[in-house]
Amino acid sequence: MRIGFFTDSYFPEIDGVTYTIKLWREALEGEGHEVYVVYPDGDYAPSDRELPVRSVPNPFYPGYRIPLVRRPSTLPELDIVHCHGPATVGRLGRYYAKKRDLPSIYTHHTPIEEYFYQNVRFEAVANALKRLYVPVETSFLRSFDVVTASTDRIDRDVPHVRLPVGIDTEFFSPTAKDWYPDRTVIGYSGRLSMEKNVEEILRVAETLPEHEFVIVGEGPRRAWIEGNAPSNVEVRDFLPRESLPVFYSSIDAFVTASTADTLGLSPLEANACGTPVAAADVAPFDQTIGSANGRRFEYGNLESMADAIRACLDSTSDPRAAIDPYDIRHTVSNLMSIYDGVRSSPDHAPTVSADLELADE
């Protein structure tokens, strides 16, 4: 099968969408399929079957780019179109599928409207932008044969299939190497941006001076976080992906206060390495984090956050066993079922097989 991934986010920018596309592509190509990735160009040399679209820097979100246009006639012949974003490249994919009468899939990765609240000074303006934006994206999603999302809630009035993007549990597994053998360390790894609320980790670290915290990542909030980190917080550069299993295995608990994730890959990667996760009691963590793989806390409540971290440090559960439903093998198997079903009939009602009930608090 010749599959086209159309994405508005890709290398060299590092985020969950980028790694998901890379992981899905490798898994699908490992099963003999051809996967083409259409993406905004940038400081990145494309490999085989990576097709850049001319783009310009995004003035509102540093590090990302705004794709412009590419003629559909320059794209290869595909059997199925799978879009991963609602901007220009995603719309190029939908146009390509419509013109060629191909089945089209959309995976909802990011609640774009949440970024309005992080980047617009006035809440009333952010609310107005959300009211304008969400119906536009909803209408776009309704034009696809199938919409998938990692959890049950995507805040869009469209039918969708729950399909977690998945993690590579062979790569993310406990390691013998331990960077902090004689220390109790609470860690975070991810993008350092407004919506990740990393400042909450700094605040809780001040209430837990007996513990060390290590924050790993890059992003527009990096300088602020470094400048405001208490003495028991170390801020490290973004780690190469091959080093992440060692980091996750070395820390005693992973903590996140993000309120804008659709699945939260880093927490589940930490779980796969045997590390419990303290996460805000918001979507998606109210569905992915429970007593079997961590604890949840009330967002903004430092006492609740500190209690969740302590509970993780005292936990004797096996987080790795708890997140087996999120293994990439299940994701790709279900994805192929969706592809085969929608190719056989546009009216096919796709289903997935994995049991994903984790949260129990």
Side-chain angles (χ1 to χ4, degrees), residues 78-79 94-104 145 346:
L78 301 171
D79 299 312
R94 185 65 193 93
Y95 177 83
Y96 179 100
K98 183 176 181 181
K99 284 297 182 183
R100 288 162 177 75
D101 195 26
L102 295 175
S104 57
D145 296 310

Side-chain angles (χ1 to χ4, degrees), residues 8 65-67 84-93 106 133 137 140:
D8 300 299
R65 299 182 66 82
I66 299 174
H84 294 267
T88 313
V89 177
R91 291 178 181 274
L92 170 63
Y106 184 92
Y133 174 76
E137 185 183 306
F140 178 56

Side-chain angles (χ1 to χ4, degrees), residues 54-357:
R54 190 162 61 90
S55 65
V56 296
N58 187 333
F60 304 106
Y61 206 65
Y64 288 85
R65 299 182 66 82
I66 299 174
L68 299 177
V69 67
R70 177 169 177 151
R71 288 184 291 116
S73 60
T74 65
L75 300 175
E77 291 297 321
L78 301 171
D79 299 312
I80 197 161
V81 166
H82 193 151
C83 297
H84 294 267
T88 313
V89 177
R91 291 178 181 274
L92 170 63
R94 185 65 193 93
Y95 177 83
Y96 179 100
K98 183 176 181 181
K99 284 297 182 183
R100 288 162 177 75
D101 195 26
L102 295 175
S104 57
I105 315 294
Y106 184 92
T107 290
H108 178 75
H109 290 280
T110 306
I112 301 293
E113 65 276 10
E114 294 299 325
Y115 292 81
F116 299 156
Y117 294 95
Q118 302 288 348
N119 294 285
V120 176
R121 180 174 300 179
F122 302 106
E123 184 175 354
V125 175
N127 286 332
L129 289 171
K130 178 179 178 178
R131 287 194 297 270
L132 289 171
Y133 174 76
V134 171
V136 172
E137 185 183 306
T138 298
S139 176
F140 178 56
L141 266 58
R142 286 175 179 162
S143 71
F144 287 84
D145 296 310
V146 177
V147 174
T148 79
S150 285
T151 61
D152 288 331
R153 293 195 301 274
I154 64 171
D155 295 326
R156 302 290 185 272
D157 186 19
V158 292
H160 70 279
V161 179
R162 187 179 183 187
L163 181 73
V165 295
I167 56 175
D168 184 350
T169 58
E170 290 186 4
F171 179 76
F172 289 104
S173 59
T175 66
K177 190 172 184 179
D178 187 346
W179 287 347
Y180 315 114
D182 303 314
R183 300 151 59 188
T184 298
V185 175
I186 296 97
Y188 166 85
S189 175
R191 185 167 170 79
L192 304 183
S193 51
M194 288 289 290
E195 71 279 359
K196 300 301 183 181
N197 302 314
V198 181
E199 63 272 12
E200 292 296 299
I201 301 176
L202 304 188
R203 292 177 64 215
V204 80
E206 290 183 320
T207 73
L208 297 170
E210 70 274 23
H211 296 311
E212 296 180 48
F213 289 72
V214 177
I215 294 173
V216 173
E218 301 287 351
R221 294 283 284 173
R222 169 72 185 250
W224 187 94
I225 291 165
E226 285 185 310
N228 289 272
S231 60
N232 61 330
V233 175
E234 175 189 357
V235 182
R236 296 187 52 165
D237 291 341
F238 210 99
L239 290 171
R241 193 155 180 82
E242 58 269 20
S243 297
L244 285 176
V246 180
F247 173 70
Y248 291 141
S249 299
S250 300
I251 60 178
D252 299 281
F254 183 100
V255 61
T256 177
S258 175
T259 54
D261 285 10
T262 52
L263 179 63
L265 289 176
S266 294
L268 294 178
E269 290 167 356
N271 280 162
C273 294
T275 299
V277 170
D281 190 15
V282 298
F285 305 119
D286 57 350
Q287 295 185 29
T288 62
I289 303 298
S291 60
N293 60 335
R295 292 293 190 277
R296 299 195 303 277
F297 57 85
E298 180 186 352
Y299 176 73
N301 184 327
L302 288 186
E303 183 178 355
S304 174
M305 189 176 184
D307 286 345
I309 291 172
R310 292 190 191 100
C312 286
L313 295 177
D314 293 337
S315 175
T316 58
S317 63
D318 180 6
R320 180 173 172 83
I323 53 87
D324 178 72
Y326 294 92
D327 191 296
I328 186 61
R329 293 171 297 175
H330 301 310
T331 298
V332 171
S333 174
N334 286 323
L335 184 59
M336 287 308 305
S337 294
I338 292 172
Y339 286 169
D340 291 338
V342 78
R343 288 186 73 199
S344 65
S345 169
D347 298 322
H348 173 79
T351 58
V352 296
S353 60
D355 177 10
L356 297 169
E357 296 303 322

